[in-house]
């Protein structure tokens, strides 16, 4: 009888596993349709209201309702939707009500039980737990959509390490989620948003597949770490060191980096008796933002191989203002022609050169349509919204999808998948710029790097580049 019950339970489990993608898809579409239709109804109702303040109040109420529904969708379904929350939870992409709710989902995925983690580590590394570790924290430091991280100490070297362990079964569910998201993107870009969203989801699919290979992640981490070391006298950001011989497809052991999450920087300063709004704090924030921006500029424009999962949860502040950049599951390698075309756009934005920006868009393969009389100006404004962190005076949020955006006048029919990772980087840097209360242009900081890349490729005269480099420090902040 116990055998029969065990066989029945096994059958139930197999049926449940087969049905899970279908039930998950159904739950996504029911929730997504609810959020979408509630916004369309609000849009219809607002069209009949003449008083502007009343309309704004209606939309604020709708955003609060939508934020709660989206939070429930992302937190309860987990998986890919936690990543979607990281992307959407930025003030330049979503209403502030959404940002406040979704930003709390960082590293909130359900944790895999410790006994499963222990078995996975021993199986993947081929050695017993007691042989490997002097201690191993049962509770994870953080649990995200693909893996969770535990703090431990190696038995032989007494080194504190971070042990990253993949969630079992996560990859299959991620693929189910991405198919649903791609269908939703096609619908939205056909009926509501004048932008190539489908390419964004295709790039997301490609990057997510890479994230399940920790051997690839370890190689990427070491490559970027070495590149930043060779390129600079002192690397602008710290990259964790991979522990040799302790890497497999599902387990990755690296040095443990102790620091303060960048989102908690203000609180940490206050604890240390530093006024978060004072001059000392402002100087520290400028250095942090400058170092982080420099690292990304060098990776993107100089090497073309860069960290492509930029969100605040992957940034730690160590030893006062030293920046650590974590999690290299998503990295991107840009082809040289695209890298150089982007370098050309960076210079165009830094110099407010409308014609050069238009030329760069064509060279990048960004296909646009417009009926605006001031086509060049609108195209340039769109480039700033997408690819620079600068904001007009008094403006704290500048979304490409806002009602006053150039996207309402310039349609983007086709957008290279490789550039979406760059867009995400700009969103992160712009969000940090606003959050730190700074005025900052990454295009102006990156201009000397872009010039150097074009000089090396024979597309810019070196003398001009050297002359403009002399004014580099004067352009960083104003």
């Amino acid at each position: 009888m116990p055998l029969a019950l065990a066989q029945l339970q096994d059958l139930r489990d197999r049926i449940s596993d087969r049905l899970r993608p279908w039930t998950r898809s159904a739950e996504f579409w029911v929730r997504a349709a609810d959020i979408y239709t509630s916004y369309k109804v609000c849009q219809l109702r607002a069209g009949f209201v003449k008083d502007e303040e009343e309309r704004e109040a209606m939309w604020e109420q709708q955003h609060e309702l939508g934020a709660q529904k989206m939070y429930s969708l992302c937190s309860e379904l987990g998986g890919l939707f936690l990543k979607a929350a990281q992307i959407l939870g930025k003030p330049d992409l979503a209403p502030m009500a959404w940002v406040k709710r979704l930003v709390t989902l960082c590293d909130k995925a359900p944790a895999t039980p410790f006994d499963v983690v222990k078995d996975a580590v021993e199986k993947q590394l081929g050695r017993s737990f007691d042989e490997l570790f002097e201690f191993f924290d049962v509770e994870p430091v953080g649990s995200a959509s693909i893996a969770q991280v535990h703090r431990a100490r190696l038995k032989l070297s007494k080194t504190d390490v971070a042990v990253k362990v993949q969630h079992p079964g996560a990859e299959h569910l991620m693929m189910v989620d991405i198919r649903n998201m791609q269908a939703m993107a096609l619908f939205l870009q056909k009926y509501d948003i004048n932008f190539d969203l489908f390419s964004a989801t295709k790039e997301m699919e490609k990057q997510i597949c890479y994230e399940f290979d920790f051997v690839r992640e370890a190689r990427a981490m070491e490559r970027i770490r070495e590149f930043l070391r060779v390129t600079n006298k002192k690397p602008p950001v710290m990259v964790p060191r991979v522990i040799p011989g302790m890497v497999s497809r599902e387990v990755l052991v690296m040095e443990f980096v102790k620091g303060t999450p960048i989102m908690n920087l203000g609180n940490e300063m206050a604890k240390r008796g530093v006024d978060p709004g004072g001059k000392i704090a402002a100087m520290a924030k400028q250095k942090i933002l400058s170092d982080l921006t420099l690292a990304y500029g060098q990776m993107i424009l100089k090497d073309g191989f860069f960290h492509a999962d930029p969100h605040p949860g992957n940034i730690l502040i160590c030893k006062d203002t030293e920046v650590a950049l974590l999690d290299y599951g998503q990295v991107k390698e840009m082809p040289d022609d695209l890298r150089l075309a982007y370098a050309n756009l960076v210079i165009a934005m830094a110099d407010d050169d409308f014609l050069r920006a238009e030329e760069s868009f064509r060279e990048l393969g960004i296909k646009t349509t417009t009926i605006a009389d001031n086509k060049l100006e609108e195209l340039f404004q769109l480039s700033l919204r997408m690819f620079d962190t600068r904001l007009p005076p008094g403006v704290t949020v500048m979304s490409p999808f806002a009602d006053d955006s150039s996207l309402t006048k310039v349609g983007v029919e086709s957008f290279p998948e490789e550039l979406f990772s760059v867009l995400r980087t700009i969103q992160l840097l712009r969000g940090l710029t606003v959050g730190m209360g700074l005025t900052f242009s990454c295009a102006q900081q990156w201009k000397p790097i872009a010039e150097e890349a074009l000089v090396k490729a024979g597309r810019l005269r070196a003398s001009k580049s050297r002359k403009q480099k002399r004014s580099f420090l004067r352009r960083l902040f104003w």
Side-chain angles (χ1 to χ4, degrees):
M1 190 65 181
L3 179 60
L5 287 174
Q7 290 174 334
L8 180 61
Q9 184 60 45
D10 181 60
L11 178 62
R12 286 174 177 169
D13 291 342
R14 278 185 286 154
I15 292 173
S16 176
D17 288 342
R18 287 182 177 273
L19 290 177
R20 192 177 180 190
W22 296 97
T23 56
R24 185 177 181 83
S25 295
E27 190 170 357
F28 164 75
W29 282 108
V30 167
R31 290 173 180 244
D34 181 34
I35 295 170
Y36 178 79
T37 54
S38 69
Y39 268 91
K40 298 305 287 187
V41 169
C42 184
Q43 185 181 50
L44 182 64
R45 289 177 54 225
F48 292 102
V49 177
K50 294 182 179 180
D51 183 73
E52 185 176 349
E53 289 187 2
E54 187 178 347
R55 280 201 310 273
E56 288 182 1
M58 287 175 62
W59 278 112
E60 285 300 319
Q61 185 178 8
Q62 173 58 39
H63 290 327
E64 291 289 345
L65 179 63
Q68 180 55 47
K69 289 180 177 180
M70 181 58 75
Y71 177 88
S72 297
L73 186 157
C74 295
S75 61
E76 292 172 21
L77 291 184
L80 180 68
F81 302 111
L82 287 176
K83 287 194 169 293
Q86 292 172 357
I87 296 171
L88 288 173
K90 296 182 175 68
D92 56 343
L93 281 186
M96 191 53 63
W98 284 48
V99 175
K100 289 178 180 178
R101 291 295 285 153
L102 298 182
V103 76
T104 62
L105 285 174
C106 182
D107 292 338
K108 296 295 185 183
T112 296
F114 176 69
D115 57 340
V116 178
V117 169
K118 182 179 179 181
D119 289 345
V121 171
E122 291 183 334
K123 181 180 178 182
Q124 291 286 315
L125 300 184
R127 296 158 71 184
S128 71
F129 228 61
D130 293 340
E131 184 183 355
L132 290 170
F133 304 109
E134 183 175 293
F135 78 81
F136 191 102
D137 284 350
V138 174
E139 292 298 321
V141 175
S143 180
S145 51
I146 286 175
Q148 64 192 49
V149 176
H150 292 258
R151 185 173 184 174
R153 179 170 295 158
L154 297 180
K155 196 163 190 176
L156 293 178
S157 64
K158 310 297 183 184
T159 304
D160 282 358
V161 293
V163 184
K164 186 175 181 178
V165 185
Q166 204 171 117
H167 296 306
E171 187 171 6
H172 177 61
L173 288 182
M174 282 277 195
M175 292 303 103
V176 172
D177 294 341
I178 195 67
R179 297 289 180 265
N180 289 321
M181 195 171 287
Q182 286 170 348
M184 188 69 180
L186 285 172
F187 174 82
L188 289 175
Q189 74 183 48
K190 183 175 181 179
Y191 295 105
D192 281 284
I193 297 177
N194 198 13
F195 193 87
D196 183 9
L197 293 175
F198 183 71
S199 292
T201 61
K202 290 296 291 181
E203 174 64 17
M204 186 182 292
E205 177 184 6
K206 189 188 304 179
Q207 289 296 322
I208 285 169
C209 289
Y210 291 151
E211 280 198 78
F212 286 95
D213 185 354
F214 289 176
V215 175
R216 181 181 184 275
E217 178 176 350
R219 286 199 299 264
M221 193 183 309
E222 288 298 291
R223 173 175 169 175
I224 290 174
R225 187 170 183 269
E226 180 64 11
F227 164 74
L228 292 174
R229 185 191 67 80
V230 170
T231 305
N232 304 275
K233 290 183 179 179
K234 182 179 185 299
V237 299
M238 181 194 307
V239 179
R241 181 176 59 89
V242 175
I243 304 301
M246 302 192 74
V247 181
S248 74
R249 193 175 189 279
E250 298 177 14
V251 173
L252 169 59
V253 183
M254 67 202 103
E255 70 173 310
F256 185 85
V257 177
K258 186 178 180 181
T260 301
I262 196 166
M263 297 298 287
N264 298 339
L265 182 61
N267 293 336
E268 186 64 25
M269 285 181 172
K271 285 181 184 177
R272 298 186 182 190
V274 177
D275 178 9
K279 289 184 179 180
I280 295 176
M283 290 174 61
K285 290 172 183 177
Q286 284 188 353
K287 183 180 184 305
I288 289 167
L289 185 58
S290 182
D291 285 349
L292 187 62
T293 305
L294 175 61
Y296 270 110
Q298 289 179 341
M299 286 187 284
I300 293 170
L301 294 166
K302 207 165 188 175
D303 192 36
F305 186 82
F306 61 99
H307 179 281
D309 192 14
H311 66 84
N314 286 340
I315 303 170
L316 295 181
I317 309 303
C318 322
K319 299 176 184 177
D320 298 325
T321 59
E322 188 172 1
V323 182
L325 193 57
L326 312 179
D327 195 349
Y328 292 76
Q330 288 191 42
V331 289
K332 190 68 189 172
E333 186 158 22
M334 291 175 69
D336 281 345
D337 57 345
L338 201 66
R339 177 176 62 85
L340 295 173
Y342 183 65
N344 201 44
L345 178 61
V346 166
I347 295 173
M349 292 188 295
D351 290 345
D352 292 333
D353 190 332
F354 291 10
L355 284 172
R356 191 169 190 165
E358 183 190 36
E359 171 194 306
S360 301
F361 263 53
R362 287 199 303 271
E363 193 178 0
L364 286 165
I366 303 174
K367 296 180 181 178
T368 61
T369 58
T370 179
I371 56 173
D373 294 332
N374 57 339
K375 174 185 174 182
L376 286 178
E377 182 179 349
E378 293 295 348
L379 195 65
F380 183 77
Q381 291 303 321
L382 181 60
S383 71
L384 294 183
R385 286 177 183 266
M386 291 195 295
F387 293 112
D388 197 8
T389 56
R390 82 175 83 170
L391 294 169
V395 175
T396 57
V397 176
M398 189 168 71
S399 168
F401 304 115
D403 291 339
D404 63 343
S405 168
S406 295
L407 267 184
T408 61
K409 303 166 188 174
V410 180
V412 180
E413 292 184 336
S414 179
F415 193 88
E417 295 176 11
E418 292 87 350
L419 285 179
F420 281 106
S421 295
V422 178
L423 277 185
R424 288 190 62 193
T425 300
I426 301 302
Q427 290 163 17
L428 168 75
L429 296 175
R430 184 185 292 151
L432 293 177
T433 299
V434 173
M436 292 180 176
L438 302 174
T439 305
F440 182 80
S441 167
C442 68
Q444 293 193 351
Q445 180 169 358
W446 288 353
K447 182 180 175 181
I449 307 172
E451 290 172 342
E452 184 181 345
L454 291 172
V455 167
K456 189 174 181 181
R459 291 181 47 175
L460 189 69
R461 290 178 57 188
S463 58
K464 180 181 179 182
S465 175
R466 283 196 298 269
K467 181 181 178 182
Q468 291 177 339
K469 275 184 182 180
R470 286 196 293 267
S471 62
F472 167 54
L473 289 176
R474 294 198 298 269
R475 295 196 310 262
L476 285 187
F477 298 93
W478 67 87

